[in-house]
Amino acid sequence: MNQKQVIQSQYRSALAIMRQTIEKCPDTMWNDTQRKNRFWHIAYHALFYTHLYAQPSEATFTPWSEHRNEYQFMGPTPWPPHNEPDIGEPYTKEEVLAYLDFCWGQIPTWVGQVDLEGPSGFEWLPFNKLELQLYSLRHLMMHVGELAGRLGDQEGIDVDWVGMDHDGLE
């Protein structure tokens, strides 16, 4: 496998684990307001940034068709005056799974077109695209692990490990 195939495989594997966390999440946990960051919100946030960082640059990024303004933020906005995001109606499991399916389907195109030696395309991330892909995968898996941990700790629900995905690879 070449580097792009490895990156694609690992994105798909991480998304497969994310799918399990979403599908196995009990309805009572999905929008539990007892937690600062609700389950659905963490899943959406992780998918949003996976989508964003797979693009050539911030300027070329087109949000998912069902994106709601500011829903990607889990804390204050990163620019002054650092307001708390306006989060209203939660996304449903079906909506978040649709976003996951969108990302899953686009990974081959996104990764296939990336110049791994080029700049990240995001002024706040001063490294090349290869490092950006690793950064993005770490971010995605951090949140997948967070959600899997909640399922295990609170509900005794296990999430299976997915090591690699060869689907669609040459």
Side-chain angles (χ1 to χ4, degrees), residues 31-42 73-76 84-85 87 146 150:
N31 192 39
D32 182 1
T33 58
Q34 298 300 309
R35 294 215 174 233
K36 179 181 182 246
N37 294 311
R38 293 169 280 171
F39 198 102
W40 71 265
H41 197 192
I42 295 167
F73 301 120
M74 293 194 336
E84 286 294 323
I87 308 295
E146 180 182 7
R150 281 190 190 183

Side-chain angles (χ1 to χ4, degrees), residues 13-85:
S13 298
L15 291 171
I17 300 170
M18 173 67 89
R19 176 179 297 286
Q20 288 181 66
T21 68
I22 294 167
E23 289 175 343
K24 293 181 177 188
C25 179
D27 292 341
T28 56
M29 186 183 285
W30 185 250
N31 192 39
D32 182 1
T33 58
Q34 298 300 309
R35 294 215 174 233
K36 179 181 182 246
N37 294 311
R38 293 169 280 171
F39 198 102
W40 71 265
H41 197 192
I42 295 167
Y44 182 80
H45 165 86
L47 292 170
F48 178 89
Y49 283 97
T50 298
H51 178 192
L52 175 67
Y53 291 146
Q55 304 311 302
S57 68
E58 180 184 20
T60 63
F61 175 66
T62 301
W64 177 53
S65 63
E66 302 302 315
H67 174 70
R68 298 175 192 157
N69 193 35
E70 298 186 349
Y71 273 48
Q72 72 271 27
F73 301 120
M74 293 194 336
T77 57
W79 51 80
H82 305 291
N83 293 326
E84 286 294 323

Side-chain angles (χ1 to χ4, degrees), residues 92-106:
T92 65
K93 280 188 191 184
E94 293 74 21
E95 289 169 322
V96 176
L97 285 169
Y99 194 19
L100 188 150
D101 287 341
F102 169 79
C103 291
W104 176 277
Q106 293 299 312

